[in-house]
Amino acid sequence: MRKIFLVILLLGFIGYAGINLAESVTPYVSIAEAQSNGGGVQVKGLLDKNSPTQQTCDEFSFTLQDEATGETMRVKYEGIKPDRFDEAYHIVAVGNYHSDDNSFHAKKLLIKCPSKYEGQQPQS
Amino acid sequence: MTGNLFLGGGLTFALALTVICFAHKNPPARMIQGTAITSAGFIVASSLLLWKLIFENNFGIEYVASYSSSTLPTMYKVSAFWAGQQGSFLLWLLIHAIVGAILSVRRTATKTLGIYFLIQSVLAVLVLIKSPFEPNPVEVVEGVGLNPLLQDFWMAVHPPIIFIGYALLAVPFALSMGNLLTEVQSRLWLEDARKWTLLAWSFLGAGIFVGGYWAYKVLGWGGYWGWDPVENSSLVPWLLSAVLLHLINLSRKKFSVIGITHVAAIFTYSLVIYGTFLTRSGILGDFSVHSFAGSTIGFAIASANALVLIGGLLILFFKAKDLPQGKMYEKFSESSFAILLGCLLIIFIAVIVWLGMSMPLLTQLVGQPAAVDENFYIKSTAPITAVLVALIVYTFIKFGRIISLGGKIAHIGFLGMLAAIVISAQGETITREFQPDTTVNVAGHEIIYKGQEFGEDERQKFYVYTVDGEKVTALTKLRGNGTDAAREPAIRKNFSGDVYIAPHAPDIETTQELLMTKNLFAMDGEYGYIFEDANIEYDAANKPVKATATITITDGEVKEKIQPTITVTADGGFSKAIEVLDGKRRVRLTGISSDLQKARLEILPTLKEISAMTITTTVSTKPLIWLLWLSVSVICLGTLIAIRK
């Protein structure tokens, strides 16, 4: 009885955690993969400074550039421009690509600034 | 370097003590104490040396140049010690060594000390691999200074509190291992383990709560809890040490629980080191909003982790046959069952958090890296937490008399904390543009934006608001060049909760640059400028220290002569903006050519113009948020009370 109870509990938990995990996990992909995938992904890149950033009342958009290949993709984020966006050295957009308006709809933006925790190295 | 020599001394004596404790059957107490205290002495000396270097502004040391500066206030010079990775490892080692010296004086079992000082040796090696005493490869006259975001009382005290917790958790681990290696059947170690684990738990908890409070009162950190790897990596040991606490208590009454108590001790300490590995190795660089500098130390920490986990489990495996066998509970209606079930639920929560935070690492091993979002944690842990709450209430009602006073207080604090987490999330959030002196109604509050104010030295700026007539300000700390360095919200506190006002940095696009040639007239559109003279001061090493320009500005009638300066700092330069012609213009010197023939001036919006700007602001209400701060304090208080039973 005791063992059966534990086994049921453990199996239940493994199943529960597994299902939740499978639903929530979003792979890290390149811009090209994000465009062909269409599902929920995370894309890391740099801000393309040659394209405009635009803020309307409930949407912020900018162009993300792949660090390696230089490919670009327009990103639309539901919300206002995140703090420290201008200082970002990397931007991670979480969301999915919509082919109808040829843009990546981000649910979340991670802004990575070099000075956030560790100090910057002194310049020579 | 003297610092590294001290560390080497600390390492040598810690290793010597490890050998003494394992090689000798019964080494003399004075030898043990002497060796432990000498090791701690060396480590204390190296720490004092680091503080001395920081206070002497010795920028020949890379660490000092990276985290301190000559202008840093005293309090933050103290905390600059642990502002970076190297220093925080030294802090950990320092606290570990002091606790080790205390353990040696308290006549702890020999094998326990052997294990404890083996860990001390490993920590000393980690500090030596990435030492804070490395000389600076480049010559600088001034340090970068402490990140303005970290220049905060709560952030200054947060790391030492956390590291006291981490260091103290080595004690129950060492006690467990020491017991397994000697008298497996003895219960004597449990009383010691109980006290040390309670102490560790309250410090680790206090450290997490202080970090959460700090994250709440600055912007850009995602509120008091963001399920970030750095936060999760301290949450998992906190959860597991809660399990360890309950199992230690239970095995004092039911000795058959001792086996899983050892397992809990091993896993708790392993996860302390695992969390350090995950956050400090740079492996999560892509996944955390906390940008930790990547480092070569990852492999060393991973080895230390393997040593604790695999070593611990191997010892347990070989001694398992000597452990008492038997049922852990007789029937479901027993208090033992309720406690064990509670422990299992907490482990489930810990496993979920562990899975979430390790996902980037785990997926990287099998292929494409992937991560989970915050919803995963909330969605997965909420139902389990709900069952846990029901179980705690049930246990209180049915077995209340067996729970100690401290235990009761801590559990009430825990329930209060969960209630506050849920209630405070029920507030409203609105983002909109605030025009100066216009009333905006948010969730029944009248909020008026009153404009911006600048601090004396222009290193601080305040967004001023009134909430129901009460003035509140949001501080933004500025860099030498005027850009935002760290931002805080304006918070109006009262009994019903907080009104949390987060202004968003305005886009200042109207900045204009004016390039001037000596003695030639230049115009910015409205006003005329003559760059008359310039001067650059050099230090003994012929490096520029300060540049001054003499410029006359005129609106056609009035002439005003100004002498703006640029002071060279490690992170560039500091140049104060100057208001001229009765506040009609605001300018800042941004460059002088080395031949003194050209100067560059930045034309900025005037303070009046800045104050009249519309500011996009996010206002949210946090109902009863004070209950969260109160509850977490109650948890720590109850835990401390429980120590003396």
Side-chain angles (χ1 to χ4, degrees):
Chain A
M1 180 62 190
R2 203 172 277 120
K3 288 215 172 99
I4 295 170
F5 176 74
L6 190 64
V7 167
I8 290 174
L9 214 56
L10 287 178
L11 285 178
F13 172 70
I14 291 167
Y16 171 78
I19 290 168
N20 274 334
L21 200 60
E23 275 178 5
S24 307
V25 84
T26 46
Y28 244 77
V29 299
S30 66
I31 286 180
E33 285 168 303
Q35 285 169 336
S36 59
N37 184 319
V41 290
Q42 321 206 17
V43 195
K44 181 175 142 186
L46 307 166
L47 174 67
D48 177 11
K49 296 216 159 94
N50 298 322
S51 307
T53 61
Q54 196 184 1
Q55 175 77 62
T56 61
C57 55
D58 54 2
E59 189 183 86
F60 172 66
S61 57
F62 62 96
T63 301
L64 194 71
Q65 186 173 34
D66 192 299
E67 208 175 352
T69 64
E71 278 176 285
T72 59
M73 172 173 73
R74 195 73 184 159
V75 177
K76 289 181 179 171
Y77 168 63
E78 263 180 54
I80 53 168
K81 184 165 119 176
D83 290 326
R84 305 173 77 88
F85 183 84
D86 296 320
E87 298 163 41
Y89 77 141
H90 278 140
I91 299 162
V92 178
V94 186
N96 52 353
Y97 181 77
H98 287 231
S99 51
D100 48 345
D101 63 353
N102 188 28
S103 66
F104 188 81
H105 292 211
K107 285 184 293 184
K108 199 169 121 185
L109 294 177
L110 276 178
I111 305 303
K112 306 183 65 64
C113 305
S115 63
K116 193 140 191 193
Y117 194 92
E118 296 272 332
Q120 290 154 305
Q121 293 303 305
Q123 281 146 10
S124 50
Chain B
M1 276 309 301
T2 325
N4 287 340
L5 283 178
F6 282 153
L7 286 171
L11 171 62
T12 310
F13 280 85
L15 267 180
L17 188 52
T18 312
V19 173
I20 291 170
C21 289
F22 283 113
H24 281 255
K25 256 239 149 78
N26 217 345
R30 282 180 62 187
M31 186 199 246
I32 290 181
Q33 289 169 15
T35 320
I37 292 169
T38 311
S39 174
F42 272 115
I43 292 162
V44 169
S46 69
S47 306
L48 290 176
L49 179 66
L50 182 57
W51 264 309
K52 182 168 170 271
L53 293 167
I54 293 171
F55 274 92
E56 280 175 353
N57 298 317
N58 190 334
F59 302 123
I61 301 295
E62 191 176 4
Y63 190 79
V64 180
S66 303
Y67 299 105
S68 187
S69 70
S70 57
T71 53
L72 200 64
T74 308
M75 179 170 80
Y76 301 121
K77 280 200 169 166
V78 175
S79 72
F81 183 105
W82 48 78
Q85 177 170 307
Q86 298 95 317
S88 29
F89 272 75
L90 179 56
L91 175 70
W92 186 354
L93 175 64
L94 172 67
I95 297 164
H96 189 98
I98 292 169
V99 173
I102 295 170
L103 285 177
S104 75
V105 176
R106 285 170 57 101
R107 295 181 180 265
T108 311
T110 314
K111 294 290 180 283
T112 301
L113 283 178
I115 297 285
Y116 190 89
F117 279 86
L118 180 61
I119 298 169
Q120 183 157 321
S121 312
V122 171
L123 288 175
V125 170
L126 290 183
V127 177
L128 276 166
I129 290 176
K130 230 182 153 215
S131 166
F133 298 106
E134 291 306 310
N136 201 342
V138 293
E139 209 179 304
V140 291
V141 288
E142 180 57 286
V144 175
L146 190 62
N147 183 343
L149 202 59
L150 304 182
Q151 293 190 31
D152 180 281
F153 169 78
W154 297 105
M155 204 50 196
V157 299
H158 163 71
I161 301 176
I162 284 267
F163 282 116
I164 290 174
Y166 284 175
L168 289 175
L169 279 177
V171 184
F173 173 74
L175 282 168
S176 147
M177 292 298 108
N179 174 264
L180 282 176
L181 289 171
T182 50
E183 307 162 85
V184 177
Q185 296 288 341
S186 164
R187 301 182 190 204
L188 278 176
W189 69 284
L190 288 170
E191 177 52 24
D192 263 354
R194 188 187 73 85
K195 286 182 176 160
W196 285 105
T197 312
L198 279 168
L199 195 62
W201 200 65
S202 54
F203 270 99
L204 187 54
I208 295 171
F209 304 146
V210 164
Y213 182 70
W214 169 81
Y216 177 76
K217 58 181 275 317
V218 298
L219 291 173
W221 219 264
Y224 63 82
W225 193 260
W227 299 104
D228 191 83
V230 174
E231 296 164 342
N232 291 339
S233 69
S234 59
L235 178 64
V236 172
W238 185 73
L239 290 168
L240 288 181
S241 42
V243 170
L244 177 60
L245 267 180
H246 287 89
L247 292 179
I248 288 172
N249 264 335
L250 192 57
S251 44
R252 288 175 358 131
K253 284 173 233 132
K254 258 195 170 6
F255 204 42
S256 50
V257 178
I258 198 77
I260 55 169
T261 308
H262 285 298
V263 176
I266 295 167
F267 272 93
T268 302
Y269 197 59
S270 298
L271 277 143
V272 166
I273 302 177
Y274 176 79
T276 312
F277 165 70
L278 214 57
T279 53
R280 295 291 166 142
S281 62
I283 213 158
L284 291 181
D286 286 350
F287 302 94
S288 169
V289 288
H290 301 56
S291 309
F292 287 103
S295 71
T296 49
I297 204 167
F299 181 74
I301 309 175
S303 311
N305 196 0
L307 178 76
V308 169
L309 184 63
I310 298 172
L313 288 176
L314 276 179
I315 292 174
L316 181 62
F317 178 77
F318 285 112
K319 295 287 179 172
K321 60 181 189 316
D322 300 333
L323 288 171
Q325 309 293 320
K327 292 171 182 170
M328 288 197 262
Y329 59 93
E330 300 298 330
K331 39 189 194 302
F332 289 149
S333 58
E334 227 178 313
S335 64
S336 308
F337 174 74
I339 295 167
L340 286 168
L341 183 61
C343 287
L344 190 62
L345 292 174
I346 301 174
I347 293 170
F348 284 169
I349 297 172
V351 168
I352 284 172
V353 178
W354 182 86
L355 270 177
M357 76 182 199
S358 306
M359 214 17 82
L361 184 64
L362 298 175
T363 48
Q364 234 163 17
L365 294 177
V366 295
Q368 202 172 29
V372 297
D373 54 24
E374 296 133 52
N375 283 334
F376 165 71
Y377 298 102
I378 299 165
K379 197 173 64 179
S380 316
T381 57
I384 304 175
T385 311
V387 179
L388 185 62
V389 167
L391 184 67
I392 290 173
V393 173
Y394 160 81
T395 313
F396 252 73
I397 295 168
K398 197 155 177 217
F399 310 107
R401 60 193 171 355
I402 65 160
I403 306 172
S404 72
L405 174 68
K408 280 191 180 114
I409 295 174
H411 281 94
I412 289 169
F414 180 69
L415 295 178
M417 177 184 86
L418 293 176
I421 289 171
V422 174
I423 296 168
S424 65
Q426 307 307 315
E428 286 179 46
T429 300
I430 288 172
T431 299
R432 46 174 297 176
E433 295 197 334
F434 277 65
Q435 266 163 347
D437 298 316
T438 315
T439 306
V440 176
N441 281 299
V442 180
H445 296 283
E446 274 190 2
I447 296 164
I448 306 169
Y449 171 59
K450 308 291 271 186
Q452 298 178 48
E453 286 173 7
F454 282 83
E456 282 274 293
D457 58 355
E458 293 197 19
R459 296 302 286 253
Q460 292 184 319
K461 159 169 98 167
F462 301 91
Y463 295 89
V464 183
Y465 295 85
T466 60
V467 178
D468 303 329
E470 196 182 317
K471 181 182 168 185
V472 285
T473 57
L475 165 68
T476 296
K477 296 176 188 168
L478 302 173
R479 288 201 193 86
N481 62 5
T483 55
D484 293 0
R487 301 162 7 81
E488 293 176 10
I491 303 175
R492 205 284 301 259
K493 299 170 190 285
N494 70 14
F495 180 76
S496 64
D498 287 0
V499 177
Y500 191 93
I501 303 174
H504 295 269
D507 284 319
I508 300 177
E509 285 156 7
T510 49
T511 308
Q512 183 192 344
E513 270 192 341
L514 195 67
L515 200 61
M516 299 175 295
T517 310
K518 198 164 174 178
N519 293 325
L520 288 181
F521 191 77
M523 287 283 289
D524 70 358
E526 270 179 85
Y527 302 102
Y529 298 76
I530 301 169
F531 168 43
E532 290 173 357
D533 199 8
N535 177 38
I536 300 179
E537 289 168 36
Y538 293 89
D539 65 1
N542 210 24
K543 282 189 176 162
V545 182
K546 193 174 163 186
T548 311
T550 307
I551 298 163
T552 298
I553 304 175
T554 176
D555 61 358
E557 291 165 15
V558 188
K559 275 188 182 174
E560 188 173 340
K561 187 178 274 192
I562 55 167
Q563 284 196 308
T565 59
I566 304 173
T567 316
V568 178
T569 58
D571 57 346
F574 172 64
S575 174
K576 196 177 155 146
I578 298 176
E579 280 207 296
V580 291
L581 301 170
D582 286 331
K584 281 189 267 183
R585 263 289 178 271
R586 199 159 143 265
V587 296
R588 176 192 286 133
L589 183 66
T590 54
I592 293 178
S593 65
S594 55
D595 62 0
L596 307 178
Q597 293 305 304
K598 283 194 161 57
R600 195 173 60 221
L601 210 56
E602 203 177 21
I603 316 290
L604 301 164
T606 64
L607 296 183
K608 219 173 154 185
E609 283 165 350
I610 287 177
S611 233
M613 274 194 286
T614 299
I615 296 293
T616 307
T617 304
T618 301
V619 180
S620 39
T621 52
K622 316 271 184 192
L624 300 190
I625 188 82
W626 54 267
L627 181 61
L628 185 60
W629 320 131
L630 177 70
S631 303
V632 295
S633 311
V634 169
I635 294 177
C636 296
L637 186 74
T639 312
L640 289 175
I641 290 173
I643 293 176
R644 37 171 307 190
K645 185 156 105 186

mmCIF file of all heavy atoms in Angstrom, chain A residues 89-111:
data_model
loop_
_atom_site.group_PDB
_atom_site.id
_atom_site.type_symbol
_atom_site.label_atom_id
_atom_site.label_comp_id
_atom_site.label_asym_id
_atom_site.label_seq_id
_atom_site.Cartn_x
_atom_site.Cartn_y
_atom_site.Cartn_z
ATOM 1 N N TYR A 89 23.137 45.184 -25.722
ATOM 2 C CA TYR A 89 24.100 44.662 -26.674
ATOM 3 C C TYR A 89 23.560 43.409 -27.334
ATOM 4 O O TYR A 89 23.946 43.053 -28.414
ATOM 5 C CB TYR A 89 25.483 44.487 -26.051
ATOM 6 C CG TYR A 89 25.717 43.308 -25.168
ATOM 7 C CD1 TYR A 89 26.922 42.623 -25.224
ATOM 8 C CD2 TYR A 89 24.764 42.874 -24.257
ATOM 9 C CE1 TYR A 89 27.165 41.545 -24.403
ATOM 10 C CE2 TYR A 89 25.008 41.799 -23.436
ATOM 11 C CZ TYR A 89 26.211 41.139 -23.508
ATOM 12 O OH TYR A 89 26.452 40.072 -22.689
ATOM 13 N N HIS A 90 22.603 42.783 -26.659
ATOM 14 C CA HIS A 90 21.879 41.683 -27.277
ATOM 15 C C HIS A 90 20.404 41.821 -26.927
ATOM 16 O O HIS A 90 20.076 42.264 -25.834
ATOM 17 C CB HIS A 90 22.361 40.331 -26.762
ATOM 18 C CG HIS A 90 23.596 39.850 -27.447
ATOM 19 N ND1 HIS A 90 24.620 39.230 -26.787
ATOM 20 C CD2 HIS A 90 23.966 39.914 -28.748
ATOM 21 C CE1 HIS A 90 25.576 38.938 -27.641
ATOM 22 N NE2 HIS A 90 25.215 39.342 -28.846
ATOM 23 N N ILE A 91 19.574 41.404 -27.860
ATOM 24 C CA ILE A 91 18.143 41.394 -27.575
ATOM 25 C C ILE A 91 17.663 39.975 -27.838
ATOM 26 O O ILE A 91 18.024 39.364 -28.843
ATOM 27 C CB ILE A 91 17.389 42.376 -28.494
ATOM 28 C CG1 ILE A 91 17.901 43.802 -28.260
ATOM 29 C CG2 ILE A 91 15.884 42.283 -28.276
ATOM 30 C CD1 ILE A 91 17.552 44.744 -29.377
ATOM 31 N N VAL A 92 16.883 39.434 -26.926
ATOM 32 C CA VAL A 92 16.276 38.135 -27.154
ATOM 33 C C VAL A 92 14.776 38.359 -27.262
ATOM 34 O O VAL A 92 14.157 38.913 -26.358
ATOM 35 C CB VAL A 92 16.586 37.158 -26.000
ATOM 36 C CG1 VAL A 92 15.899 35.821 -26.256
ATOM 37 C CG2 VAL A 92 18.087 36.961 -25.852
ATOM 38 N N ALA A 93 14.202 37.959 -28.399
ATOM 39 C CA ALA A 93 12.766 38.096 -28.599
ATOM 40 C C ALA A 93 12.126 36.718 -28.453
ATOM 41 O O ALA A 93 12.590 35.754 -29.060
ATOM 42 C CB ALA A 93 12.481 38.675 -29.975
ATOM 43 N N VAL A 94 11.094 36.647 -27.622
ATOM 44 C CA VAL A 94 10.386 35.386 -27.418
ATOM 45 C C VAL A 94 9.000 35.522 -28.029
ATOM 46 O O VAL A 94 8.264 36.439 -27.673
ATOM 47 C CB VAL A 94 10.256 35.055 -25.907
ATOM 48 C CG1 VAL A 94 9.658 33.665 -25.720
ATOM 49 C CG2 VAL A 94 11.603 35.159 -25.216
ATOM 50 N N GLY A 95 8.659 34.627 -28.942
ATOM 51 C CA GLY A 95 7.355 34.709 -29.586
ATOM 52 C C GLY A 95 7.333 33.820 -30.812
ATOM 53 O O GLY A 95 8.049 32.820 -30.858
ATOM 54 N N ASN A 96 6.532 34.185 -31.804
ATOM 55 C CA ASN A 96 6.552 33.395 -33.030
ATOM 56 C C ASN A 96 6.398 34.268 -34.269
ATOM 57 O O ASN A 96 5.927 35.399 -34.216
ATOM 58 C CB ASN A 96 5.516 32.269 -33.002
ATOM 59 C CG ASN A 96 4.141 32.773 -32.650
ATOM 60 O OD1 ASN A 96 3.974 33.941 -32.297
ATOM 61 N ND2 ASN A 96 3.156 31.918 -32.770
ATOM 62 N N TYR A 97 6.841 33.692 -35.386
ATOM 63 C CA TYR A 97 6.876 34.418 -36.654
ATOM 64 C C TYR A 97 5.530 34.310 -37.367
ATOM 65 O O TYR A 97 4.934 33.230 -37.427
ATOM 66 C CB TYR A 97 7.990 33.839 -37.527
ATOM 67 C CG TYR A 97 8.126 34.526 -38.853
ATOM 68 C CD1 TYR A 97 8.750 35.763 -38.941
ATOM 69 C CD2 TYR A 97 7.633 33.932 -40.006
ATOM 70 C CE1 TYR A 97 8.874 36.404 -40.149
ATOM 71 C CE2 TYR A 97 7.756 34.570 -41.227
ATOM 72 C CZ TYR A 97 8.371 35.802 -41.296
ATOM 73 O OH TYR A 97 8.492 36.441 -42.495
ATOM 74 N N HIS A 98 5.048 35.436 -37.878
ATOM 75 C CA HIS A 98 3.797 35.440 -38.641
ATOM 76 C C HIS A 98 4.138 35.786 -40.086
ATOM 77 O O HIS A 98 4.652 36.870 -40.344
ATOM 78 C CB HIS A 98 2.822 36.492 -38.085
ATOM 79 C CG HIS A 98 2.218 36.097 -36.783
ATOM 80 N ND1 HIS A 98 0.875 36.115 -36.532
ATOM 81 C CD2 HIS A 98 2.797 35.656 -35.639
ATOM 82 C CE1 HIS A 98 0.642 35.707 -35.294
ATOM 83 N NE2 HIS A 98 1.792 35.428 -34.731
ATOM 84 N N SER A 99 3.823 34.863 -41.001
ATOM 85 C CA SER A 99 4.196 35.122 -42.386
ATOM 86 C C SER A 99 3.251 36.131 -43.038
ATOM 87 O O SER A 99 3.620 36.810 -43.989
ATOM 88 C CB SER A 99 4.222 33.821 -43.179
ATOM 89 O OG SER A 99 3.012 33.134 -42.982
ATOM 90 N N ASP A 100 2.013 36.288 -42.481
ATOM 91 C CA ASP A 100 1.055 37.206 -43.107
ATOM 92 C C ASP A 100 1.545 38.660 -43.084
ATOM 93 O O ASP A 100 1.358 39.401 -44.041
ATOM 94 C CB ASP A 100 -0.342 37.077 -42.471
ATOM 95 C CG ASP A 100 -0.298 37.095 -40.954
ATOM 96 O OD1 ASP A 100 0.814 36.924 -40.403
ATOM 97 O OD2 ASP A 100 -1.351 37.291 -40.333
ATOM 98 N N ASP A 101 2.165 39.097 -41.974
ATOM 99 C CA ASP A 101 2.699 40.466 -41.994
ATOM 100 C C ASP A 101 4.230 40.464 -41.957
ATOM 101 O O ASP A 101 4.851 41.481 -41.647
ATOM 102 C CB ASP A 101 2.100 41.318 -40.877
ATOM 103 C CG ASP A 101 2.454 40.800 -39.496
ATOM 104 O OD1 ASP A 101 3.055 39.707 -39.420
ATOM 105 O OD2 ASP A 101 2.150 41.483 -38.507
ATOM 106 N N ASN A 102 4.809 39.303 -42.265
ATOM 107 C CA ASN A 102 6.256 39.179 -42.396
ATOM 108 C C ASN A 102 7.004 39.752 -41.183
ATOM 109 O O ASN A 102 7.955 40.501 -41.330
ATOM 110 C CB ASN A 102 6.701 39.879 -43.691
ATOM 111 C CG ASN A 102 8.163 39.619 -43.987
ATOM 112 O OD1 ASN A 102 8.690 38.575 -43.585
ATOM 113 N ND2 ASN A 102 8.812 40.548 -44.673
ATOM 114 N N SER A 103 6.496 39.420 -39.996
ATOM 115 C CA SER A 103 7.191 39.923 -38.815
ATOM 116 C C SER A 103 7.081 38.938 -37.656
ATOM 117 O O SER A 103 6.238 38.034 -37.664
ATOM 118 C CB SER A 103 6.637 41.289 -38.400
ATOM 119 O OG SER A 103 5.304 41.127 -37.978
ATOM 120 N N PHE A 104 7.955 39.129 -36.712
ATOM 121 C CA PHE A 104 8.023 38.264 -35.535
ATOM 122 C C PHE A 104 7.215 38.925 -34.428
ATOM 123 O O PHE A 104 7.485 40.075 -34.058
ATOM 124 C CB PHE A 104 9.479 38.097 -35.112
ATOM 125 C CG PHE A 104 9.702 37.078 -34.034
ATOM 126 C CD1 PHE A 104 9.766 35.728 -34.333
ATOM 127 C CD2 PHE A 104 9.868 37.487 -32.711
ATOM 128 C CE1 PHE A 104 9.985 34.795 -33.341
ATOM 129 C CE2 PHE A 104 10.091 36.548 -31.714
ATOM 130 C CZ PHE A 104 10.149 35.205 -32.030
ATOM 131 N N HIS A 105 6.217 38.243 -33.913
ATOM 132 C CA HIS A 105 5.405 38.819 -32.845
ATOM 133 C C HIS A 105 5.974 38.379 -31.502
ATOM 134 O O HIS A 105 5.897 37.208 -31.142
ATOM 135 C CB HIS A 105 3.944 38.376 -32.988
ATOM 136 C CG HIS A 105 3.277 38.957 -34.189
ATOM 137 N ND1 HIS A 105 1.939 39.245 -34.254
ATOM 138 C CD2 HIS A 105 3.784 39.344 -35.397
ATOM 139 C CE1 HIS A 105 1.642 39.771 -35.428
ATOM 140 N NE2 HIS A 105 2.746 39.824 -36.151
ATOM 141 N N ALA A 106 6.571 39.323 -30.787
ATOM 142 C CA ALA A 106 7.236 38.974 -29.534
ATOM 143 C C ALA A 106 6.287 39.151 -28.357
ATOM 144 O O ALA A 106 5.609 40.168 -28.245
ATOM 145 C CB ALA A 106 8.476 39.831 -29.356
ATOM 146 N N LYS A 107 6.245 38.131 -27.501
ATOM 147 C CA LYS A 107 5.469 38.237 -26.270
ATOM 148 C C LYS A 107 6.344 38.853 -25.192
ATOM 149 O O LYS A 107 5.884 39.423 -24.228
ATOM 150 C CB LYS A 107 5.033 36.837 -25.803
ATOM 151 C CG LYS A 107 3.903 36.241 -26.596
ATOM 152 C CD LYS A 107 3.490 34.918 -25.988
ATOM 153 C CE LYS A 107 4.600 33.897 -26.143
ATOM 154 N NZ LYS A 107 4.266 32.552 -25.679
ATOM 155 N N LYS A 108 7.655 38.648 -25.366
ATOM 156 C CA LYS A 108 8.576 39.090 -24.338
ATOM 157 C C LYS A 108 9.902 39.481 -24.984
ATOM 158 O O LYS A 108 10.322 38.871 -25.965
ATOM 159 C CB LYS A 108 8.819 37.926 -23.372
ATOM 160 C CG LYS A 108 9.377 38.353 -22.037
ATOM 161 C CD LYS A 108 9.327 37.180 -21.082
ATOM 162 C CE LYS A 108 10.701 36.847 -20.597
ATOM 163 N NZ LYS A 108 10.750 35.658 -19.778
ATOM 164 N N LEU A 109 10.537 40.507 -24.438
ATOM 165 C CA LEU A 109 11.866 40.899 -24.911
ATOM 166 C C LEU A 109 12.824 40.833 -23.731
ATOM 167 O O LEU A 109 12.525 41.361 -22.659
ATOM 168 C CB LEU A 109 11.847 42.328 -25.464
ATOM 169 C CG LEU A 109 11.032 42.597 -26.731
ATOM 170 C CD1 LEU A 109 11.081 44.069 -27.073
ATOM 171 C CD2 LEU A 109 11.564 41.758 -27.885
ATOM 172 N N LEU A 110 13.927 40.170 -23.922
ATOM 173 C CA LEU A 110 14.973 40.163 -22.900
ATOM 174 C C LEU A 110 16.062 41.123 -23.366
ATOM 175 O O LEU A 110 16.582 40.979 -24.463
ATOM 176 C CB LEU A 110 15.591 38.771 -22.769
ATOM 177 C CG LEU A 110 14.898 37.736 -21.895
ATOM 178 C CD1 LEU A 110 15.659 36.433 -21.968
ATOM 179 C CD2 LEU A 110 14.842 38.214 -20.460
ATOM 180 N N ILE A 111 16.358 42.077 -22.529
ATOM 181 C CA ILE A 111 17.364 43.077 -22.885
ATOM 182 C C ILE A 111 18.630 42.753 -22.122
ATOM 183 O O ILE A 111 18.617 42.661 -20.899
ATOM 184 C CB ILE A 111 16.875 44.490 -22.493
ATOM 185 C CG1 ILE A 111 15.523 44.776 -23.132
ATOM 186 C CG2 ILE A 111 17.911 45.531 -22.890
ATOM 187 C CD1 ILE A 111 15.490 44.653 -24.627
#
